[in-house]
Amino acid sequence: MSQDFAGQTALITGSTSGIGRAVAEQLAARGARVIVSGRDKMRGDNAVSKIRSTGGRADFLAADLSQIDSVTALARAATEMAGHVD
């Protein structure tokens, strides 16, 4: 990726590990504010810490996408946290 994402906010589900985490790290490295999401707060906090340690902007929101109420709450919380999600 070489695109500049400055001024944009990305909500990335499943981003506490694996491919999702790599995507979160890459978007943050290119200027996006990243909202890391997953079920495990400890893994989410670790992902956020790594992104922040390299100068990126990131926050964590817990969510279980198998539960519709959790999906709805995630969308609402992300929008409230960031003002918008791109």
Side-chain angles (χ1 to χ4, degrees), residues 6-7 9 11 20 23 25 29 35 43 45 47 54-55 57 59-60 76 80 83 85:
T9 299
L11 168 60
V23 169
E25 290 172 0
I35 301 173
R43 286 172 39 176
D45 289 345
T54 60
R57 296 184 317 151
D59 295 289
F60 173 73
R76 182 176 32 258
E80 288 173 2
V85 174

Side-chain angles (χ1 to χ4, degrees), residues 2-26:
S2 61
Q3 186 172 351
D4 179 14
F5 292 95
Q8 296 185 8
T9 299
L11 168 60
I12 305 156
T13 59
S15 55
T16 60
S17 65
I19 294 169
R21 183 168 172 166
V23 169
E25 290 172 0
Q26 288 296 311

